[in-house]
Amino acid sequence: MRTASATALAKRLEGVDWVGEFGRTRSRVALMREFMRRSAVWARETGSGEWPFFDVAGHIDPAARVDADVVEVLSGKIGLQQPVVLETVAWALHFAVLTDVHQDLVDLPAPFEPLVRMFERGGTFALDAAGYIEVDTAAIPKGSMQQSLERSPLDLDETSLHALDDRPGLYGPRTMAYVAQRQ
């Protein structure tokens, strides 16, 4: 299906610089953690045994699928990434379709919006063999679903995200200036 929400999301994802940059690591880490929190909320709501990376729409309505060619075009733009990155892009698009075809969805925060915002702020993520989620140079422990449920929600507005990145210290402007000098 091609719905208005899926088309709009596909356009946003087409604009992502998938190579990334390291100037927004703090906000990107915070966005990944917010994605994990929201994913835990949806996993609990849908009874999914999977978390944090899973097809939320597939648990609610397996017929809510974006057209395969939309995913194929984006996969070509994304390039060589871990399969989970490509899967999350497809799942986000499927969820966008779901929101258009099911007006009766439970009132929970959009599960993939923090992840899409993380992509828009500088690229992708990776999973390592030790169970960490790597965002730029930061390794985030997956932790438990319960730990994610206990986190406070993150404000996704640009001002708040910029404020995270502008704080001095690890991964802030000072560190990034140092890294730039060393290159």
Side-chain angles (χ1 to χ4, degrees), residues 11-158:
K11 285 182 182 180
R12 285 176 65 193
L13 291 166
E14 284 178 11
V16 169
D17 176 4
W18 294 99
V19 175
E21 52 106 338
F22 294 92
R24 297 179 172 171
T25 299
R26 277 191 176 161
S27 64
R28 288 174 32 78
V29 166
L31 286 162
M32 176 56 79
R33 286 187 174 129
E34 176 61 11
F35 163 73
M36 292 169 65
R37 186 191 73 77
R38 290 182 183 199
S39 178
V41 169
W42 281 95
R44 181 178 61 193
E45 178 68 26
T46 63
S48 171
E50 302 169 271
W51 170 85
F53 305 104
F54 73 102
D55 181 5
V56 176
H59 284 277
I60 297 168
D61 179 358
R65 304 282 97 177
V66 72
D67 290 344
D69 64 316
V70 174
V71 175
E72 187 176 321
V73 167
L74 280 170
S75 293
K77 291 182 183 284
I78 293 169
L80 295 174
Q81 300 291 338
Q82 289 187 349
V84 69
V85 173
L86 301 173
E87 290 169 340
T88 58
V89 165
W91 295 334
L93 290 162
H94 297 326
F95 190 83
V97 168
L98 180 75
T99 62
D100 284 345
V101 298
H102 285 278
Q103 302 303 314
D104 60 342
L105 279 180
V106 64
D107 187 24
L108 294 175
F112 295 99
E113 182 60 22
L115 194 59
V116 171
R117 298 287 295 275
M118 187 199 79
F119 292 149
E120 290 174 324
R121 292 181 73 77
T124 188
F125 68 95
L127 303 179
D128 74 9
Y132 287 88
I133 301 167
E134 296 176 352
V135 175
D136 301 334
T137 57
I140 306 166
K142 181 180 170 188
S144 71
M145 194 167 101
Q146 185 58 41
Q147 288 170 318
S148 285
L149 287 168
E150 292 170 358
R151 284 194 187 106
S152 296
L154 176 68
D155 189 347
L156 299 185
D157 74 76
E158 285 298 311

